[in-house]
Amino acid sequence: MFDKILIANRGEIAVRVIRAAREMGVRTVAVYSEADRDALHTQLADEAVCVGPAKPADSYLNMPNIISAAVLTGSPAIHPGFGFLSENSVFASMCAECGIKFIGPGAETIDLLGNKIHAKELMLRSGVPVVPGSAAAAGVSSAAAEAERIGFPVMLKAAAGGGGRGIRIARSGGEVESLAEAVSKEGRLFFGDGSFYVEKYIENPRHIEVQVLGDEYGNIIHLGERNCSIQRRHQKILEETPCLSAELREKLGAVAVSAAKAANYKNAGTVEFLMDWDDNFYFMEMNTRIQVEHPITEMVTGIDLVKRQILIAAGEKNLSQGDVKFSGHAIECRINAECPDNAFAPSCGEIAFLLTPSGGLGLRVDSAIYQGLRISPHYDSMLAKVIVHGQTREDAVMKMRRALYEFVIEGVETNIDYQTEILNNEEFLSGKYDTGFLGRMKS
Ligand code: MV4
């Protein structure tokens, strides 16, 4: 086992990783920006190294500075968390070249799955169901013909896309060329890659993803699904598990394991599917990081995913599929510093008063905020994740309502009341909701 790891991240996920490491007897090194001198992750780690100014490009994305911090502190491994450098294959290679273990999949796997066209081609070859349509890159001039062949509506997607950037829906032939131009331009601008592809548009799908774990020896297991259909502008707001019958979970889980095997997948990953109301599912993409919503999977399986990540990176053999047992229902609500009454504009300032609802059976709050902390405009607006675990969905919903009722944050605006609205919504309570849910919810 590593005697020490460096955490190349900030906020709640950095704290989450530091906690796992400490429980394993592994020492921790935090990196922090000048804006994060007083941050919780900076204080909770055994050592902390300043890696640059507040702007992410100068600090949390500054690869030479972070590698230097690992070398100077004698850290044999780096956990990248999510966001920042977590899906950067150049960083993963740089770690390897410096003899530092990147806690995640190999650089080649990150590269392969980061390109949606290559990922889709791989899945097609491996028998994983993909959305009907072209796998190969389409050109602006051939896109309209592709779209006619597939049948409208279609979706145009940038090969390197993510976060809702570089995607357009085309409903008729006349608009394909200009939308293709736009997608290609966005791809070049945001990801340095103008290639794109065309596929059938699935109306009002559910976003269902499967957690997988692979070890260094090719043993891959799944840890069930998460329903992440409650999104606003491609930002997940609330996630829950389970959402499928045991039978469908086994089927989707087996497909997710095939997808991960095809990519020679190592460490924790997530296979994203679109699912329609006839339970047809289609591979969308694979995320090569630990995800924000991982705690709901931990709650229903009792498996600490971050500890598994560290153990796997250190060479430990995977659990077997039979070790994974599912129990009860878990929900996560993301608490953001934002103003729902003002187009969800980010809200900054000092946490003037804080009362965290953490207490009672089956309630967990993952967060890095404390009273007196200043919320900086430089970073993500997520302040906390409230995670509940109940025996049934109804129990979990009641527990989450209770937790949100108790949660007090003063000094910044939050979406706590907005989350409560979701939990009181009839469509949500029916459990039968899709990615159009928040757009329909009137508040
Ligand atoms: C789709 C789709 C329907 N059909 N692809 C949105 C972000 C990107 N990762 C993929 N996305 C979608 N791709 C086809 N062929 C609908 C979406 C989509 C969506 C997906 C998951 C969660 C929320 C969403 C909201 C709008 C659109």
Side-chain angles (χ1 to χ4, degrees):
M1 177 47 54
F2 311 117
D3 59 333
K4 191 189 255 194
I5 63 172
L6 180 144
I7 298 95
N9 214 300
R10 66 180 303 282
E12 74 78 24
I13 192 60
V15 169
R16 167 75 187 85
V17 177
I18 291 166
R19 285 173 171 161
R22 188 170 301 278
E23 289 177 17
M24 297 169 83
V26 174
R27 293 177 59 77
T28 53
V29 179
V31 296
Y32 64 96
S33 73
E34 286 169 9
D36 274 342
R37 288 191 185 284
D38 300 326
L40 193 59
H41 78 283
T42 308
Q43 301 187 57
L44 284 185
D46 295 302
E47 295 170 75
V49 181
C50 184
V51 288
K55 273 194 4 214
D58 298 329
S59 47
Y60 296 108
L61 292 170
N62 188 326
M63 297 190 253
N65 283 14
I66 290 171
I67 297 275
S68 301
V71 171
L72 287 170
T73 55
S75 305
I78 295 182
H79 194 301
F82 47 65
F84 295 123
L85 297 169
S86 60
E87 294 179 280
N88 187 312
S89 62
V90 173
F91 183 65
S93 306
M94 214 183 260
C95 288
E97 277 162 32
C98 297
I100 297 163
K101 182 71 185 174
F102 177 84
I103 302 175
E108 317 72 40
T109 300
I110 298 175
D111 253 342
L112 173 66
L113 296 171
N115 184 310
K116 308 294 151 60
I117 295 174
H118 294 167
K120 198 173 161 181
E121 280 170 350
L122 176 69
M123 297 311 159
L124 206 51
R125 285 201 302 275
S126 312
V128 173
V130 299
V131 181
S134 81
V140 171
S141 52
S142 62
E146 278 290 344
E148 293 293 347
R149 185 180 62 78
I150 296 161
F152 290 96
V154 298
M155 208 158 198
L156 308 163
K157 296 184 173 184
R165 284 216 169 103
I167 55 172
R168 293 288 190 284
I169 303 163
R171 297 197 175 269
S172 67
E175 56 187 18
V176 172
E177 194 165 316
S178 65
L179 291 174
E181 292 273 18
V183 163
S184 182
K185 194 175 156 197
E186 268 182 37
R188 268 196 308 277
L189 191 65
F190 293 112
F191 314 107
D193 179 359
S195 60
F196 69 96
Y197 58 104
V198 188
E199 65 183 24
K200 182 83 188 159
Y201 179 63
I202 313 291
E203 305 269 5
N204 295 326
R206 287 176 286 168
H207 171 132
I208 312 283
E209 59 183 34
V210 178
Q211 178 71 53
V212 298
L213 273 179
D215 66 14
E216 307 265 317
Y217 317 103
N219 304 302
I220 303 181
I221 60 169
H222 76 85
L223 290 92
E225 79 283 9
R226 297 186 284 255
N227 187 348
C228 302
S229 301
I230 300 193
Q231 304 197 5
R232 198 186 154 274
R233 300 200 167 181
H234 305 293
Q235 287 281 95
K236 293 168 190 163
I237 302 293
L238 179 154
E239 309 91 0
E240 66 176 313
T241 185
C243 64
L244 303 176
S245 66
E247 191 188 6
L248 201 49
R249 175 171 317 111
E250 285 325 300
K251 192 170 157 194
L252 195 63
V255 169
V257 167
S258 311
K261 284 211 166 113
N264 184 30
Y265 202 84
K266 295 178 173 66
N267 219 281
T270 300
V271 188
E272 292 187 352
F273 296 94
L274 290 174
M275 195 177 263
D276 66 22
W277 289 108
D278 298 322
D279 291 341
N280 298 307
F281 52 82
Y282 308 100
F283 171 86
M284 190 160 49
E285 51 193 78
M286 184 163 183
N287 299 321
T288 59
R289 58 173 190 275
I290 190 77
Q291 290 194 254
V292 175
E293 59 272 24
H294 77 273
I296 58 173
T297 298
E298 297 184 322
M299 300 301 257
V300 298
T301 62
I303 294 168
D304 187 317
L305 287 168
V306 175
K307 286 185 185 169
R308 295 316 311 179
Q309 283 193 289
I310 297 169
L311 289 166
I312 284 168
E316 182 149 318
K317 209 169 155 268
N318 208 349
L319 300 170
S320 49
Q321 191 63 56
D323 296 332
V324 185
K325 297 269 187 281
F326 301 94
S327 166
H329 197 100
I331 304 176
E332 171 179 276
C333 285
R334 300 186 186 195
I335 308 305
N336 299 330
E338 64 189 17
C339 197
D341 296 331
N342 181 22
F344 296 86
S347 175
C348 297
E350 185 184 317
I351 305 283
F353 179 80
L354 179 66
L355 207 155
T356 304
S358 40
L361 181 65
L363 174 59
R364 162 176 174 187
V365 181
D366 277 17
S367 163
I369 61 170
Y370 58 84
Q371 199 162 307
L373 182 74
R374 278 203 69 80
I375 303 304
S376 157
H378 295 283
Y379 309 115
D380 191 89
S381 65
M382 193 173 72
L383 295 175
K385 308 190 297 204
V386 180
I387 305 118
V388 297
H389 183 222
Q391 290 192 331
T392 64
R393 185 169 192 259
E394 291 67 34
D395 289 337
V397 167
M398 291 304 279
K399 207 176 277 288
M400 183 62 83
R401 286 183 182 151
R402 185 275 281 180
L404 296 175
Y405 172 77
E406 287 185 18
F407 210 159
V408 182
I409 303 177
E410 285 174 9
V412 295
E413 297 291 326
T414 76
N415 65 340
I416 293 174
D417 292 347
Y418 183 74
Q419 289 282 14
T420 297
E421 244 180 82
I422 296 173
L423 289 156
N424 289 331
N425 181 285
E426 261 181 57
E427 189 179 344
F428 173 76
L429 293 173
S430 78
K432 293 186 171 61
Y433 56 84
D434 57 43
T435 52
F437 171 76
L438 281 186
R440 288 188 295 271
M441 189 176 82
K442 44 191 184 301
S443 53

